Amino acid sequence: MDWLSTLAGFLVGTIVGVTGVGGGSLMSPLLILLFGVAPATAVGTDLWFAAITKMAGGAVHHRQDNADWQIVKRLCWGSLPAVGLTLWWLWSHGQKAESGGLIVRTLGIALVLSAIATPFRGAIARRFARADGPLADTMLRWQPALTVAAGALLGMLITLTSVGAGALGATLLLMLYPFRLTARRLVGTDIVHAIPVALIGGIGHALIGNINLPLLGSLLLGSIPGVVLGARLTGYLSERVVAPALALVLLIVGVRLLL
C-alpha cells in the first residue's frame, strides 16, 4: 500500500502543479474509493496533505506578491469561525455523520460542483465583469459581506470534505472580484487563504483522531516531486485540454460517491 499511496500522491501532485486545482478534490475520493480509508480519516489526512503542500506554494506566491491580503482577511473572517463550528459539530456528531454517509454525500456534491465550475471559470468571470449600472453598484456595496459569506461556505466545506479550495474557491473569487484579481493573484489569494483553513481543520481532525500519519508521509513523498513536475509541464499542456479532462474526472468520482 505504501508505494500505491506514494504513486497516488505523485499523480495528484502533478495535477495540482499543472492546473492549480484537484488536490482535495481528488485525494479524499482516492483514499476512500481506492484505499478503503474511513471518510473522516481520509478528510483529516488530506487536510494535512493540503496544508503542508500549500505552505510551500503560499510562500512562493507571497514572495512574488501574488496574494491580495485584504481579500484573504475578508475570507478568513468567515472561514475560520466556520472551521471551528464544523469541527465542534464533527466532534459531537462525527460518528453518526460518517455512519450515515453525510461526509461521503457532501464530498460527492462538492466534487460535482467543482466539476461544473472548473471549465467555466473564464466564462463566469466574463459574465460578472460585464455587470454595470445598478447591478455593479450593488455588487460593489455588498462585496465585503459576500466575501465573508463565501469564506464561511469554503471553511465549512473544506473542514467537512477537504474540498472547496481550488475550483470552487477560485470561481467564487472570480465572481466577486472580476477586475481586481489577475490570474496569478487569483491563484495566490486562493492558496494563501486555504493554508490556515486546512491547518486549523487538520489540527482539529487530528485531535478528534481522524488522521493516518504513515499514510500522510507516503502521500507527501510522492506529491512533492509531482508538484515540481506538474509546474514544469504547464508550458507544454494546454488548459483547454487539461481543464475539461479534470472536470470529467471530478464529475465521475463525484457521481460515484453519490450512488
Side-chain angles (χ1 to χ4, degrees), residues 38-41 43 85-106 159-160 204-205 208-210:
T41 303
V43 170
L85 289 172
T86 306
L87 286 171
W88 171 81
W89 187 86
L90 284 171
W91 179 75
S92 303
H93 305 87
Q95 197 169 27
K96 180 179 178 182
E98 189 166 10
S99 62
L102 176 63
I103 294 176
V104 173
R105 287 198 303 274
T106 307
T159 308
L160 188 61
H205 274 275
I208 297 172
N210 297 335

Side-chain angles (χ1 to χ4, degrees), residues 17 23 42 44 60 92 109-110 118 121 139 141-142 147-148 155 166 204 208 245 257:
V60 174
S92 303
I109 293 170
T118 296
R121 284 190 299 177
M139 285 179 60
R141 184 167 60 251
W142 286 96
T147 306
V148 174
I208 297 172
L257 287 171

Side-chain angles (χ1 to χ4, degrees), residues 214-229:
L215 177 59
L216 174 62
S218 297
L219 295 172
L220 291 172
L221 189 63
S223 70
I224 294 173
V227 167
V228 174
L229 175 63

Side-chain angles (χ1 to χ4, degrees), residues 107-247:
L107 177 58
I109 293 170
L111 289 176
V112 171
L113 292 176
S114 295
I116 295 171
T118 296
F120 297 113
R121 284 190 299 177
I124 292 171
R126 289 190 294 271
R127 170 65 183 87
F128 278 81
R130 288 197 297 268
D132 55 7
L135 178 58
D137 293 337
T138 301
M139 285 179 60
L140 190 62
R141 184 167 60 251
W142 286 96
Q143 198 175 59
L146 290 173
T147 306
V148 174
L153 174 64
L154 292 173
M156 183 272 293
L157 281 176
I158 293 170
T159 308
L160 188 61
T161 68
S162 76
V163 177
L168 287 178
T171 302
L172 289 173
L173 287 176
L174 278 173
M175 292 167 63
L176 291 168
Y177 300 93
F179 296 110
R180 179 166 169 172
L181 292 174
T182 62
R184 287 188 301 173
R185 288 179 73 81
L186 171 69
V187 174
T189 301
D190 192 32
I191 286 177
V192 169
H193 166 249
I195 292 171
V197 176
L199 185 60
I200 295 172
I203 292 172
H205 274 275
L207 293 174
I208 297 172
N210 297 335
I211 186 171
N212 186 324
L213 288 175
L215 177 59
L216 174 62
S218 297
L219 295 172
L220 291 172
L221 189 63
S223 70
I224 294 173
V227 167
V228 174
L229 175 63
R232 292 180 179 274
L233 288 174
T234 51
Y236 302 97
L237 297 176
S238 171
E239 187 176 352
R240 292 183 178 180
V241 175
V242 175
L246 176 61

Side-chain angles (χ1 to χ4, degrees), residues 9-10 12-18 53 222-232:
F10 176 79
V12 172
T14 303
I15 292 172
V16 172
V18 171
T53 53
S223 70
I224 294 173
V227 167
V228 174
L229 175 63
R232 292 180 179 274

Side-chain angles (χ1 to χ4, degrees), residues 50-87:
I52 293 170
T53 53
K54 288 183 178 182
M55 280 181 192
V60 174
H61 282 290
H62 175 62
R63 286 197 299 269
Q64 296 177 347
D65 194 29
N66 286 344
D68 190 315
W69 287 97
Q70 184 182 51
I71 297 176
V72 171
K73 290 176 183 177
R74 289 175 179 175
L75 289 169
C76 285
W77 275 111
S79 63
L80 297 186
V83 170
L85 289 172
T86 306
L87 286 171

